[in-house]
Amino acid sequence: MSQDTLFDKVWDLHKVSCLPGGSDQIFIGLHLIHEVTSPQAFGALKDKNLKVKFPSRTVATVDHIVPTDNQSRPFKDNLAEQMIETLEKNCLEHKIKFFNIGSGNQGIVHVVAPELGLTQPGMTIACGDSHTSTHGAFGSIAFGIGTSQVRDVLATQTIAMNKLKVRQIWCENKLSHGVYAKDLVLHIINELGVKAGVGFAYEFAGPAINALSMEERMTICNMSIEGGARCGYINPDETTFSYIKGRLCAPQNKNWDEAIKWWKSLRSDQNSIYDDVIKLDASKVEPTVTWGITPGQSISINEKIPLFDDLSPNDKLVAKEAYEYMGFKPGQSIKNTPVDVCFIGSCTNGRISDLRVAAKVLKDRKVCKQVKAFVVPGSEKVANEAKKEGLDKIFKDSGFQWREPGCSMCLAMNSDKLIGNQVSASSSNRNFKGRQGSPSGRTLLMSPAMVAAAAINGKVSDIREFINK
Amino acid sequence: MKSEFTPPVGKISQIHGKCISLIGNDIDTDRIIPARFLKCINFDSLGESVFEDDRKTLKGIHSFDLEENKNASILIVNSNFGCGSSREHAPQALLRWGIKAIIGESFADIFYSNCIAIGIPCFTLPKNSIQNIQNYIANGILFLEIDLKNSLAKSKDLILNLEIKESSKKMFLSGEWDATSTLLANKILIEKKSNDLPYLNFNKHFC
């Protein structure tokens, strides 16, 4: 059993009681809600005649269903309009802070909370969304919950949960030129498998992790869940503190000094004990692309799609399904695979640094005529910053459509969808069957830079051939 | 699809019913209930849309469309079932279709806790046992009687020693899987914890 890791410290600090069944009752420091997984929870509160226990500890925004072309109200989609209205009503009734469209702070919940300085080390953070693991980048213990647990957090600010085991993933050396956090996390998921993280929290550590910016760290922790780990985190350091400093909800003045002192005490101890430790060499990671229907089915840009016989027995069943669904042959190259749609955005890679990297690739270049390319900033703040830097113009000049903030085609709950069996090069997090809105649509996950490169060439390309010229 | 839906309530100790087998590893919650069906403010109509896209693709030969699986209530799955999105809509859709228990090789974490929270016990068995059950179902109909207290499932010619987390088992037997009231019972401890958290001192907006 793990001991003296950040996970242990934060878990123990938030433990309210041991429940009769043997689970722990855990206090949730920050609860984030959005329009998709909260309405039924508010409904259940009403049925049980309960109130929101600590309204100031819940913060709301709207992201999943928002259109990214025309956000004027009422939305064209009646169901989407009904969902945002329900959230507005619930927040008003229960006095919950809601960052609505036009507030300047609306956006994807996992982009917004860190931007506002709400996400801080040592907190427990829950949200009815599996990518809540993102917030672990700050040294918080953050995980996705379902609607019944959203109800429980609203009613009690606690949930019943079994303590997770802790696996440290130690990343040696540093990433090579043209290789990004997205490539590293896809590589980790490929190495460990999509279910290795079940029952675990992942602690990402080592020189390669320490060298990452906060936004890159968020990309890593965001995809912990794709490796099966409900929670992923990184010990807080100076990079963390300087990101938080000065943000709207960040501690200030003498509170700031107190916060830093406490945050520093949370790091996993030098001699802490882990349930498992994995080491890998980050310098060996290359630009990585998924070829299948799980985020674990990825290869380096110059590798070939694996042969059936080379796969482990456990991977064969899903691989067979993947060849068939994707229409790819074992042994085929992923490089030069034609793409129809290019999407930059999502809670994984929709932040300002992602837009900067992609814009740098696109500057003075044109998107291939056959490709539909669009960029969806992760939040209103990201969009505003990008405009200030002139990135929107670079995107538009290249042929990318510039959209309004939201989750968009990561999960296609709005009108941004693949059509038929289109192939998309996507900076999002899931390549599941049908994920991007068409039951036969095909998704290739990659870094935003690689999406930009694919958009220009009209086919999967090696970003290093662009930036090394 | 059952015409009338009654959600589980209170203690759950016995489940009996016909088994339905769904073969495949890493079946994610997007497949169980595609995102477009999440555009709703209650779970009521999800049952009919369970596995919608997979079912359309298979044109009537998906497990959930086969005549012999009508009225089945125990779902047999392979590994990492329910991975991906935290949408509770996925187990809610299964529940509303008629699923009362799931037996599989392994489950994704969030899906598992969502199932517990809405009263669907999930049991595990080793890979070969699951395959044996799935082979059995491929050749005939399997009715199981699950005794949660003893973690046993029986049919006329099978006895299975099911595995389930001790904490989950206790919650079902006591009825505390519907956790809100159990959590609320510790009201004073919750207040105390809320006042004791170090970050309250330097985060004034958490008033």
Side-chain angles (χ1 to χ4, degrees):
Chain A
M1 210 165 70
S2 65
Q3 242 174 40
D4 303 324
T5 66
L6 178 140
F7 184 85
D8 293 286
K9 295 180 195 183
V10 176
W11 185 273
D12 293 347
L13 182 70
H14 289 83
K15 189 164 152 181
V16 174
S17 74
C18 285
L19 294 168
S23 310
D24 288 341
Q25 180 174 10
I26 292 294
F27 192 91
I28 300 302
L30 173 65
H31 183 213
L32 304 166
I33 58 168
H34 59 82
E35 75 284 11
V36 178
T37 54
S38 69
Q40 299 88 344
F42 283 108
L45 278 196
K46 203 172 171 193
D47 292 345
K48 290 181 184 245
N49 203 16
L50 292 167
K51 286 197 165 64
V52 177
K53 177 93 179 145
F54 296 101
S56 72
R57 289 178 177 275
T58 294
V59 175
T61 191
V62 57
D63 52 11
H64 286 62
I65 52 97
V66 298
T68 61
D69 45 2
N70 178 358
Q71 295 191 330
S72 59
R73 300 280 300 275
F75 294 152
K76 261 186 277 172
D77 178 344
N78 288 335
L79 288 173
E81 177 60 27
Q82 194 189 0
M83 291 182 85
I84 188 171
E85 281 176 12
T86 306
L87 183 64
E88 286 169 332
K89 187 178 122 306
N90 284 328
C91 289
L92 194 67
E93 189 180 328
H94 297 278
K95 301 191 169 59
I96 290 167
K97 181 80 194 159
F98 174 40
F99 292 107
N100 205 343
I101 294 170
S103 66
N105 285 313
Q106 174 268 343
I108 307 174
V109 63
H110 311 307
V111 176
V112 166
E115 264 176 3
L116 288 167
L118 281 167
T119 303
Q120 295 172 20
M123 284 180 176
T124 44
I125 302 177
C127 172
D129 189 283
S130 61
H131 292 110
T132 308
S133 58
T134 311
H135 307 266
F138 292 79
S140 60
I141 296 307
F143 42 80
I145 55 177
T147 298
S148 295
Q149 288 187 312
V150 172
R151 172 202 65 201
D152 290 345
V153 179
L154 290 172
T156 74
Q157 205 61 36
T158 65
I159 57 165
M161 194 168 155
N162 290 320
K163 193 175 173 185
L164 300 166
K165 291 183 275 186
V166 186
R167 172 179 291 134
Q168 188 189 53
I169 300 175
W170 184 268
C171 303
E172 208 47 75
N173 296 319
K174 60 174 197 174
L175 294 174
S176 323
H177 189 51
V179 180
Y180 303 89
K182 179 65 155 287
D183 301 301
L184 176 59
V185 72
L186 284 172
H187 176 83
I188 292 171
I189 298 164
N190 175 262
E191 286 279 309
L192 272 63
V194 288
K195 62 174 181 178
V198 173
F200 282 90
Y202 278 175
E203 177 182 295
F204 300 99
I209 298 293
N210 295 339
L212 298 177
S213 70
M214 277 322 292
E215 299 199 346
E216 291 170 316
R217 292 179 190 188
M218 284 189 252
T219 301
I220 302 276
C221 291
N222 173 277
M223 289 192 69
S224 306
I225 184 64
E226 311 313 332
R230 193 172 185 175
C231 165
Y233 70 91
I234 293 169
N235 281 299
D237 60 8
E238 292 304 328
T239 307
T240 322
F241 309 147
S242 63
Y243 178 94
I244 299 171
K245 196 169 184 177
R247 290 183 186 268
L248 189 65
C249 301
Q252 284 169 9
N253 307 324
K254 90 172 192 321
N255 284 336
W256 174 255
D257 301 331
E258 203 188 327
I260 292 256
K261 207 171 129 198
W262 185 64
W263 292 342
K264 283 184 176 166
S265 74
L266 297 169
R267 290 180 60 89
S268 296
D269 291 351
Q270 279 279 308
N271 48 1
S272 53
I273 299 167
Y274 296 90
D275 296 283
D276 191 26
V277 177
I278 302 272
K279 289 187 194 299
L280 57 92
D281 184 350
S283 68
K284 299 250 164 70
V285 179
E286 294 196 58
T288 302
V289 181
T290 63
W291 60 270
I293 54 169
T294 80
Q297 291 173 318
S298 69
I299 47 175
S300 302
I301 181 74
N302 292 316
E303 275 182 321
K304 305 262 194 289
I305 293 171
L307 298 173
F308 188 71
D309 289 341
D310 293 346
L311 292 162
S312 76
N314 280 337
D315 294 336
K316 283 188 169 164
L317 191 58
V318 180
K320 210 173 150 202
E321 228 181 314
Y323 299 137
E324 199 181 311
Y325 183 83
M326 298 300 288
F328 293 155
K329 290 190 179 62
Q332 180 182 332
S333 293
I334 195 73
K335 196 177 173 182
N336 295 329
T337 302
V339 300
D340 305 297
V341 178
C342 287
F343 169 62
I344 294 177
S346 85
C347 59
T348 312
N349 281 124
R351 298 188 175 77
I352 188 67
S353 56
D354 300 312
L355 269 51
R356 284 183 191 134
V357 167
K360 209 171 158 184
V361 178
L362 294 168
K363 195 170 175 8
D364 303 325
R365 292 191 172 107
K366 292 280 178 215
V367 169
C368 169
K369 273 199 191 109
Q370 287 77 28
V371 170
K372 173 190 171 182
F374 63 113
V375 54
V376 182
S379 70
E380 292 181 343
K381 258 200 161 64
V382 171
N384 289 336
E385 177 59 29
K387 282 178 194 163
K388 213 158 68 184
E389 296 176 21
L391 305 185
D392 59 327
K393 192 167 182 303
I394 298 176
F395 277 107
K396 284 187 263 189
D397 287 348
S398 75
F400 260 78
Q401 296 175 31
W402 176 262
R403 299 289 190 84
E404 304 294 335
C407 299
S408 180
M409 209 180 68
C410 174
L411 85 168
M413 273 192 78
N414 65 359
S415 57
D416 304 323
K417 295 179 199 304
L418 294 181
I419 300 164
N421 69 350
Q422 278 183 326
V423 173
S424 118
S426 179
S427 75
S428 56
N429 41 56
R430 287 184 176 139
N431 51 341
F432 297 154
K433 285 181 171 180
R435 170 76 178 182
Q436 293 193 296
S438 160
S440 53
R442 298 172 285 174
T443 303
L444 311 179
L445 301 176
M446 59 190 81
S447 73
M450 288 280 282
V451 176
I456 295 160
N457 281 349
K459 53 194 182 181
V460 177
S461 307
D462 189 340
I463 182 62
R464 294 169 299 192
E465 290 166 16
F466 283 76
I467 55 180
N468 291 345
K469 265 179 193 168
Chain B
M1 176 69 190
K2 304 283 163 60
S3 51
E4 277 177 41
F5 171 72
T6 23
V9 279
K11 297 176 183 176
I12 299 173
S13 57
Q14 305 277 339
I15 296 157
H16 46 88
K18 188 163 67 170
C19 294
I20 169 172
S21 154
L22 185 69
I23 295 173
N25 292 333
D26 307 320
I27 293 182
D28 58 75
T29 52
D30 272 89
R31 281 170 70 182
I32 300 174
I33 188 84
R36 62 183 181 278
F37 298 108
L38 272 50
K39 270 195 268 180
C40 57
I41 53 168
N42 60 51
F43 295 126
D44 297 346
S45 58
L46 293 177
E48 60 203 70
S49 311
V50 73
F51 292 111
E52 169 95 356
D53 291 345
D54 282 7
R55 288 163 78 175
K56 273 202 176 136
T57 309
L58 289 175
K59 299 188 176 85
I61 57 159
H62 188 278
S63 276
F64 278 69
D65 286 321
L66 297 178
E67 190 58 31
E68 62 261 34
N69 289 333
K70 234 182 175 173
N71 298 324
S73 59
I74 301 173
L75 177 62
I76 313 294
V77 297
N78 299 98
S79 96
N80 201 26
F81 186 73
C83 59
S85 157
S86 67
R87 61 189 71 166
E88 190 176 297
H89 306 65
Q92 290 280 3
L94 290 168
L95 183 70
R96 275 151 222 274
W97 188 85
I99 298 302
K100 293 193 169 70
I102 313 179
I103 304 174
E105 200 185 320
S106 64
F107 299 93
D109 270 342
I110 306 179
F111 178 82
Y112 182 88
S113 54
N114 284 340
C115 285
I116 302 301
I118 65 172
I120 306 177
C122 297
F123 302 91
T124 55
L125 277 176
K127 189 177 179 166
N128 55 350
S129 310
I130 293 288
Q131 281 170 349
N132 289 341
I133 301 173
Q134 289 178 327
N135 289 338
Y136 189 109
I137 299 171
N139 297 307
I141 287 176
L142 176 65
F143 277 93
L144 280 180
E145 279 191 32
I146 298 176
D147 165 7
L148 201 73
K149 195 172 167 204
N150 296 304
S151 306
L152 273 183
K154 286 185 199 165
S155 72
K156 61 182 189 339
D157 48 7
L158 274 181
I159 296 183
L160 303 162
N161 286 302
L162 302 173
E163 285 165 43
I164 182 165
K165 279 183 196 157
E166 202 52 34
S167 57
S168 311
K169 184 171 158 175
K170 283 186 182 160
M171 285 168 111
F172 286 119
L173 293 173
S174 66
E176 281 164 6
W177 55 270
D178 192 357
T180 321
S181 49
T182 313
L183 297 171
L184 267 180
N186 291 325
K187 220 156 82 180
I188 297 165
L189 291 175
I190 296 172
E191 279 302 337
K192 190 175 175 323
K193 183 55 78 182
S194 134
N195 293 325
D196 288 353
L197 286 171
Y199 49 84
L200 271 193
N201 298 329
F202 47 78
N203 278 295
K204 299 304 177 197
H205 61 278
F206 281 156
C207 47

